[in-house]
Amino acid sequence: HLLLGLACNESTAGLYLDLSCNQLGSQGAHVLESCIHGVRVLQSLDISDNNLDAELSPVLTAIGKNPSIKSLHMSRSFTGMKVKHIGSVMEALVALVQKDDFPLTELVLSENKLRNDIHNFINALGSNQSLQMLDITGNLMGDIGARLLAKALQINNKLRTISMDRNNITLQGYSDIVYALENNYSMRNIPFPVFDMAPCLKNHPEKTDSVMRRMQELLQRNGNGLKRSNGQGFRLQHGFLLSSTHQLIDKLVSETQETMSLRQNSNDTGVQRLLDDAENSKQLLPKLQEAVRCEMHPIEVKLGRVANDLSHVIQAYLEETMETMLRTGVDQCPKSLGNQNVINELRKNCLERLNVSEEFLTSCIVNSAGSEIMNKISEVEQALAGVIADRATDEVVEALTRYRRGLGIADSPHLTYDDLNTPDVLRSRSN
């Protein structure tokens, strides 16, 4: 009845619904599955510790149909769950965080002791573009999980906070995470893993201190918005993408070469050009990334100029403000302040306090705001590169498949990019 009432409520928004520790069981799961997608007033939902068992999987699917939910708490949701059901529930959770139309920003999976079952979820974080806070405390994922998380952090540029204590992660696992943070400029907060680090501090105090200190330095760097090093805009994504597609291309290329040999048309320039494109398409994504890299990014240069221009504007404004205040002071207290010597002294004292350093403005605009802007630019660049590389790969696969089926290859002119952007009328005149 509560859920049905909330589903009909059109005036409330941003609701936090805590259903934790109610032992809802399978019957409650069916109610959630049938109603939760329609409760659009929900912003945060807590279904922790409810003994939902296998029924948690369809509940997660239903939650994924409600884009208003931004925060989901699932602590101790796998406690007592039959082992045979954990896999399907985790698959549903992975599908949930990979949905483009479900922008979940906060997920709590603490104290579930998932061990190896959480690995696929950790691996899926690399492609997630909405989660900002993740709590995976108490899942015993070990160093393998830490290594997968490190790989994900080299790609993911949305996560801001991760809690990961009580995961049986050794110093090696945290070293992998620190290595990943070297090229991650979005992570802001990783609470100190007291339980995991206790044995490390006992056995290797100096090395543990070094690793943890470096982690805090990198997190502080990100929090301060310090400028990224050149060439780090794309998060090494090409190393984790398209491997299966590339294998398909290699297979099609091999079959095409065999077909050419059987047909004795190895001199077919159209097919040869297609084979060249097939090979080049596998390296297109990193090539696209390299093509836009430059020593001085024009946007960063512009931000620097904005900081300089703003410094002059602020100085002029403060000087005008000072004169206005002095004039008002004289108008209000002419006997006390209406003296040229007093005004001169006041003006001198005020001028000493007018300074807003250009370094401060540079820190605010170029480093803090600029870092966020450049991260967003990098996301767009990454998306553009992905679209172009995917289309090239699709075209190559389609053409090779057609050739293998004996449908031939479409005869298209070999045009440069400038030719493609020249109007047909002008192109015909030049011919």
Side-chain angles (χ1 to χ4, degrees), residues 15-36:
L15 184 70
Y16 168 49
L17 181 60
D18 186 352
L19 298 176
S20 63
C21 305
N22 277 298
Q23 295 299 307
L24 296 177
S26 59
Q27 186 174 358
H30 291 312
V31 174
L32 283 172
E33 181 186 355
S34 60
C35 297
I36 202 68

Side-chain angles (χ1 to χ4, degrees), residues 269-405:
T269 57
V271 179
Q272 192 57 52
R273 279 170 49 200
L274 179 58
L275 293 177
D276 292 341
D277 281 3
E279 186 61 32
N280 292 337
S281 69
K282 294 189 293 183
Q283 296 299 320
L284 182 56
L285 188 59
K287 289 289 185 182
L288 292 170
Q289 296 168 358
E290 293 170 4
V292 298
R293 290 176 183 168
C294 52
E295 287 297 320
M296 294 296 293
H297 199 291
I299 296 175
E300 290 180 322
V301 172
K302 182 64 175 179
L303 287 170
R305 291 173 182 168
V306 168
N308 183 58
D309 293 344
L310 185 58
S311 176
H312 295 303
V313 172
I314 289 175
Q315 187 67 25
Y317 166 76
L318 291 177
E319 289 177 1
E320 182 181 347
T321 299
M322 177 191 69
E323 295 298 334
T324 301
M325 288 183 174
L326 287 174
R327 185 179 299 109
T328 303
V330 172
D331 291 343
Q332 294 296 315
C333 303
K335 179 66 176 175
S336 302
L337 298 179
N339 181 288
Q340 189 63 49
N341 290 332
V342 173
I343 290 298
N344 288 340
E345 287 182 15
L346 274 175
R347 184 177 283 111
K348 180 181 178 181
N349 290 335
C350 289
L351 285 171
E352 292 174 355
R353 291 165 172 77
L354 286 186
N355 182 41
V356 176
S357 70
E358 193 169 330
E359 290 77 12
F360 168 76
L361 294 175
T362 300
S363 176
C364 291
I365 296 175
V366 178
N367 293 339
S368 298
S371 178
E372 294 296 327
I373 291 171
M374 293 308 299
N375 279 336
K376 189 63 180 178
I377 295 298
S378 293
E379 288 180 35
V380 176
E381 289 174 341
Q382 184 173 296
L384 292 175
V387 168
I388 296 171
D390 288 347
R391 182 56 184 267
T393 302
D394 291 343
E395 292 289 333
V396 166
V397 169
E398 182 180 353
L400 289 174
T401 303
R402 284 177 56 85
Y403 182 79
R404 189 187 63 173
R405 293 174 179 173

Side-chain angles (χ1 to χ4, degrees), residues 97-370:
V97 299
Q98 290 183 328
K99 281 175 65 72
D100 293 333
D101 57 349
F102 186 70
L104 191 69
T105 59
E106 180 177 306
L107 178 61
V108 177
L109 278 175
S110 59
E111 309 304 332
N112 281 303
K113 299 181 180 179
L114 287 166
R115 294 181 171 83
N116 293 345
D117 291 307
I118 200 174
H119 289 171
N120 285 341
F121 168 79
I122 297 296
N123 203 37
L125 291 175
S127 59
N128 180 273
Q129 289 296 305
S130 63
L131 273 178
Q132 296 183 24
M133 195 289 287
L134 176 65
D135 186 348
I136 50 174
T137 304
N139 276 291
L140 311 178
M141 67 180 184
D143 284 349
I144 296 177
R147 193 172 302 117
L148 291 172
L149 180 60
K151 289 183 178 180
L153 289 178
Q154 292 183 69
I155 306 172
N156 187 294
N157 54 13
K158 286 294 184 180
L159 275 170
R160 298 291 185 268
T161 299
I162 295 183
S163 299
M164 63 176 85
D165 200 5
R166 296 196 295 280
N167 267 297
N168 287 349
I169 300 175
T170 68
L171 197 56
Q172 180 58 53
Y174 278 102
S175 296
D176 291 337
I177 291 172
V178 168
Y179 178 79
L181 288 176
E182 296 283 352
N183 292 320
N184 179 296
Y185 292 81
S186 60
M187 186 61 59
R188 299 287 195 272
N189 182 32
I190 299 178
F192 189 88
V194 177
F195 287 89
D196 282 347
M197 284 296 99
C200 301
L201 284 167
K202 182 179 180 180
N203 298 324
H204 308 285
E206 292 184 0
K207 188 175 181 181
T208 302
D209 179 71
S210 175
V211 170
M212 290 293 104
R213 188 182 299 275
R214 183 56 182 161
M215 176 184 287
Q216 294 306 314
E217 288 174 354
L218 293 170
L219 294 173
Q220 186 175 8
R221 173 204 67 185
N222 295 349
N224 291 337
L226 297 182
K227 189 170 68 173
R228 302 168 301 159
S229 58
N230 288 333
Q232 293 296 339
F234 289 103
R235 310 292 182 213
L236 310 175
Q237 189 177 28
H238 68 270
F240 302 92
L241 295 178
L242 302 176
S243 58
S244 59
T245 307
H246 290 170
Q247 291 175 6
L248 174 60
I249 290 177
D250 289 339
K251 179 182 177 182
L252 290 172
V253 166
S254 177
E255 292 175 352
T256 300
Q257 290 172 337
E258 291 178 5
T259 303
M260 291 173 65
S261 178
L262 291 173
R263 296 178 183 175
Q264 297 182 348
N265 59 349
S266 57
N267 294 324
D268 190 328
T269 57
V271 179
Q272 192 57 52
R273 279 170 49 200
L274 179 58
L275 293 177
D276 292 341
D277 281 3
E279 186 61 32
N280 292 337
S281 69
K282 294 189 293 183
Q283 296 299 320
L284 182 56
L285 188 59
K287 289 289 185 182
L288 292 170
Q289 296 168 358
E290 293 170 4
V292 298
R293 290 176 183 168
C294 52
E295 287 297 320
M296 294 296 293
H297 199 291
I299 296 175
E300 290 180 322
V301 172
K302 182 64 175 179
L303 287 170
R305 291 173 182 168
V306 168
N308 183 58
D309 293 344
L310 185 58
S311 176
H312 295 303
V313 172
I314 289 175
Q315 187 67 25
Y317 166 76
L318 291 177
E319 289 177 1
E320 182 181 347
T321 299
M322 177 191 69
E323 295 298 334
T324 301
M325 288 183 174
L326 287 174
R327 185 179 299 109
T328 303
V330 172
D331 291 343
Q332 294 296 315
C333 303
K335 179 66 176 175
S336 302
L337 298 179
N339 181 288
Q340 189 63 49
N341 290 332
V342 173
I343 290 298
N344 288 340
E345 287 182 15
L346 274 175
R347 184 177 283 111
K348 180 181 178 181
N349 290 335
C350 289
L351 285 171
E352 292 174 355
R353 291 165 172 77
L354 286 186
N355 182 41
V356 176
S357 70
E358 193 169 330
E359 290 77 12
F360 168 76
L361 294 175
T362 300
S363 176
C364 291
I365 296 175
V366 178
N367 293 339
S368 298

